[in-house]
Amino acid sequence: MTLADIVGALPARQVVITGAAGSGKTSAAILLAQQIVREGEASLLVDMAGWDPERYSLNDWLTACLTAARPAALPMRHAHAAASRLVEREAIVPILDGLDELPDHLMMQVIESMHEWTRPFILTSQTAEYETAVRATGLTVARALVVRMLPMPVSEIVSHLTAGRADADRRWAPVAARLRISGSLRAVLSTPLMSNLARVAYTRIDSNPSELLELDDADNLERHLLDRVYPHDGAFAWLTPLARYLDRREVRQLDLCGPLIPATWSKLRRLALSFLVFTCYLALMALFVRLESSGTLIEILFEIMLWAGLMICFLLVRLATRGKTQSATPFRFRTRPRRTLGVAAVSAAFMTVFAVMSTSSTLTPQTNVATLLVGIAGFALISAVVGAMAWGSLTEPVAEGETPHPLSAIRWDGWALLAHFPAPLLGTAVFLALQHQLSTFPQNAALTLIVSTVVFDQIPGTAWSRWMIRRLSLARHGLPSDIEEELEKAREQGILRTVGMSYRFQHARVQVHLASATEND
């Protein structure tokens, strides 16, 4: 009988999988999730390290995770409502991976929250951390069956080390003999993680696995295997500064478009940042006034270039540090003919009403009919092509029925930014042209751009701009300039894995090793 059969026979179908680091807890949870899907139910694998209890209760966080995986055709509000109902009705089996990666007080909070749960769930944690948290709270995790991952038997270790390798039996024979004796070597290689590292470290036929026999201490054995597979001067040497970068921030994942403002910031520091942004508003407005002053053509062009550069920098920072947006949703440029034609019709109707009111006003210079018709048609065309009046009719969340690839989603968000911001600029130009006030275009255009970053909670470019600023920070900490390519190579090699819009080490033990090695250096 398999673990899936045992869990399926439980009345509550609740299970806690514990074990040592690298013992295969997550793999076991994923296999259980696959069995749940085959039985016709839905499961959701979520990373406990990504839970922010200050923003979400556990149920709200599950709803948010499920909403993030919505199909592209489903609007956000509908997806959130559907996800909330599924979570409330316990129609989703959550697989909560990595309880031990939370701080102690949050582990206790999770156990207290789950104590009364009646829904099925799967929870993974290292054994010692889980037992400590349960003793501290004095509560059990609902009616869950606690399963402990045991060390691999010697026969499985040997089979794993020698399978599919030329001359493997001869090269690994001394190690296989030592494994039959209880000791540090057997203790280290009895976990899937270390067994796999040993297999990778001595894949080459000219390598000598007998080197492991010279290391009697378990810590030295683990360090030797990790150093051999992840050398500090190899192709993945940049993983060392990445591990230190994450370790200093006390996180497990590199969130590409998460908030740039640390969660540890006080309210005073956040208010100071808001005041700085407001000061930038005033500074830009003061610069706009100078643009109207007289001067030579070269001086005016220089001021315009300076204004444009400052405006671009300001918009990037504003998008990246927006207070309302904690987790930015990447967007993509995407056309929908029916919706585009609808936007054009609404824009034409709006401009017609506006033109009639303007021509009837005694404060507005009279405009001939031909100019009005050209203005209305031009504004409708701009709206249809760029989506100015829809504020995102051509930009939709990325998710083609599956979780989007992080870097691909970021790139689409950058293209969506280019599709989004010309709309208010062109609309402003048409409006001012009809009013015979094109000389005030710089000030009005800047005001339009600034308002577009304030009024709407989620707009294209937020995720992309955050990643651009975060890349500068990563480069300052010693990571390569082609970090995107390196992240993908590490993911393909199985060193990193993607969780939502984040990259994280496949095994926490590898991150800890690389971070500590950097500190020792």
Side-chain angles (χ1 to χ4, degrees):
M1 180 177 290
T2 64
L3 178 59
D5 296 330
I6 296 174
V7 173
L10 294 174
R13 290 197 304 163
Q14 300 174 344
V15 59
V16 177
I17 303 176
T18 66
S23 60
K25 300 182 296 298
T26 301
S27 298
I30 292 175
L31 291 175
L32 286 176
Q34 293 175 345
Q35 180 63 29
I36 291 172
V37 172
R38 284 194 293 268
E39 292 175 355
E41 295 186 80
S43 64
L44 179 65
L45 178 65
V46 291
D47 199 331
M48 294 297 289
W51 178 48
D52 183 358
E54 294 184 359
R55 291 184 58 208
Y56 300 113
S57 66
L58 268 175
N59 279 351
D60 290 342
W61 180 56
L62 292 175
T63 301
C65 292
L66 188 58
T67 303
R70 71 191 185 283
L74 187 62
M76 173 73 78
R77 63 181 183 279
H78 295 160
H80 184 272
S84 179
R85 287 195 296 269
L86 288 172
V87 172
E88 290 176 359
R89 295 174 183 175
E90 302 179 0
I92 296 292
V93 180
I95 301 174
L96 309 174
D97 186 32
L99 175 69
D100 55 280
E101 295 175 9
L102 294 173
D104 292 343
H105 69 284
L106 292 186
M107 282 196 288
M108 295 170 60
Q109 188 171 336
V110 171
I111 292 175
E112 291 171 355
S113 299
M114 298 178 69
H115 176 64
E116 300 296 334
W117 274 17
T118 57
R119 65 159 60 94
F121 66 83
I122 299 170
L123 176 69
T124 73
S125 173
Q126 290 194 36
T127 304
E129 285 78 357
Y130 172 75
E131 292 177 351
T132 301
V134 168
R135 292 193 190 98
T137 58
L139 301 172
T140 59
V141 180
R143 294 175 290 169
L145 169 70
V146 180
V147 177
R148 183 173 180 178
M149 303 296 290
L150 296 176
M152 294 169 58
V154 174
S155 58
E156 289 188 14
I157 299 174
V158 175
S159 297
H160 178 68
L161 293 174
T162 59
R165 294 293 185 267
D167 200 27
D169 291 335
R170 181 188 63 80
R171 293 193 301 115
W172 285 97
V175 175
R178 178 69 64 85
L179 286 173
R180 292 180 174 84
I181 304 173
S182 179
S184 58
L185 182 63
R186 188 164 78 181
V188 169
L189 297 185
S190 63
T191 64
L193 170 61
M194 288 300 162
S195 176
N196 186 64
L197 287 178
R199 188 171 187 264
V200 173
Y202 294 97
T203 296
R204 292 173 57 92
I205 197 169
D206 58 346
S207 61
N208 184 14
S210 297
E211 295 175 355
L212 299 174
L213 304 179
E214 301 173 3
L215 302 170
D216 294 331
D217 183 74
D219 290 337
N220 290 335
L221 275 167
E222 290 190 3
R223 192 177 302 111
H224 170 76
L225 292 173
L226 287 164
D227 286 336
R228 191 176 176 92
V229 177
Y230 305 107
H232 298 298
D233 57 351
F236 294 106
W238 60 273
L239 290 173
T240 298
L242 174 62
R244 182 174 66 176
Y245 177 87
L246 299 177
D247 188 62
R248 287 181 174 177
R249 285 156 182 76
E250 298 181 352
V251 295
R252 278 289 316 275
Q253 65 278 348
L254 175 64
D255 193 347
L256 302 189
C257 53
L260 296 177
I261 301 175
T264 56
W265 271 29
S266 64
K267 186 177 181 180
L268 181 61
R269 295 182 70 180
R270 296 175 186 272
L271 290 175
L273 178 63
S274 300
F275 177 77
L276 179 61
V277 171
F278 180 74
T279 304
C280 289
Y281 286 158
L282 299 181
L284 286 170
M285 291 301 176
L287 183 60
F288 301 155
V289 175
R290 289 198 59 191
L291 289 174
E292 295 186 86
S293 62
S294 60
T296 65
L297 179 61
I298 295 178
E299 291 176 343
I300 294 176
L301 289 176
F302 175 76
E303 290 181 350
I304 291 176
M305 291 177 62
L306 178 62
W307 166 78
L310 290 175
M311 194 67 203
I312 291 173
C313 293
F314 172 76
L315 285 175
L316 285 177
V317 175
R318 179 65 187 132
L319 284 169
T321 59
R322 293 178 70 244
K324 293 181 180 179
T325 306
Q326 294 297 320
S327 296
T329 300
F331 286 73
R332 72 179 302 167
F333 183 85
R334 189 177 187 184
T335 59
R336 283 191 174 183
R338 181 178 178 182
R339 191 171 185 179
T340 301
L341 292 175
V343 170
V346 172
S347 301
F350 172 81
M351 284 302 299
T352 301
V353 174
F354 174 78
V356 171
M357 295 176 62
S358 297
T359 54
S360 62
S361 174
T362 58
L363 300 177
T364 304
Q366 294 299 310
T367 307
N368 59 52
V369 177
T371 302
L372 284 176
L373 292 177
V374 171
I376 293 172
F379 197 84
L381 179 62
I382 292 170
S383 300
V385 174
V386 188
M389 298 301 295
W391 290 103
S393 64
L394 303 184
T395 53
E396 297 179 351
V398 176
E400 297 289 352
E402 58 183 16
T403 303
H405 186 275
L407 292 176
S408 175
I410 291 291
R411 285 190 289 269
W412 274 112
D413 193 59
W415 286 110
L417 176 64
L418 293 178
H420 176 80
F421 274 116
L425 293 178
L426 293 174
T428 301
V430 172
F431 174 83
L432 294 176
L434 292 175
Q435 295 295 307
H436 303 288
Q437 297 178 4
L438 273 176
S439 60
T440 62
F441 175 75
Q443 295 91 324
N444 286 283
L447 181 62
T448 302
L449 290 175
I450 291 173
V451 168
S452 70
T453 67
V454 176
V455 175
F456 302 97
D457 186 44
Q458 288 280 15
I459 63 174
T462 304
W464 178 83
S465 58
R466 284 183 173 181
W467 172 234
M468 290 299 103
I469 293 178
R470 184 165 274 116
R471 282 189 64 177
L472 296 177
S473 176
L474 293 173
R476 187 169 59 86
H477 284 81
L479 275 84
S481 57
D482 57 343
I483 182 64
E484 294 182 348
E485 296 180 7
E486 296 297 336
L487 286 171
E488 271 306 285
K489 290 179 182 177
R491 184 186 66 84
E492 293 171 359
Q493 293 289 331
I495 303 172
L496 302 178
R497 62 185 171 102
T498 56
V499 180
M501 292 302 299
S502 303
Y503 283 86
R504 63 175 297 172
F505 281 89
Q506 186 77 12
H507 299 285
R509 180 68 181 86
V510 175
Q511 177 181 333
V512 171
H513 167 74
L514 294 174
S516 61
T518 302
E519 294 172 359
N520 293 335
D521 291 345

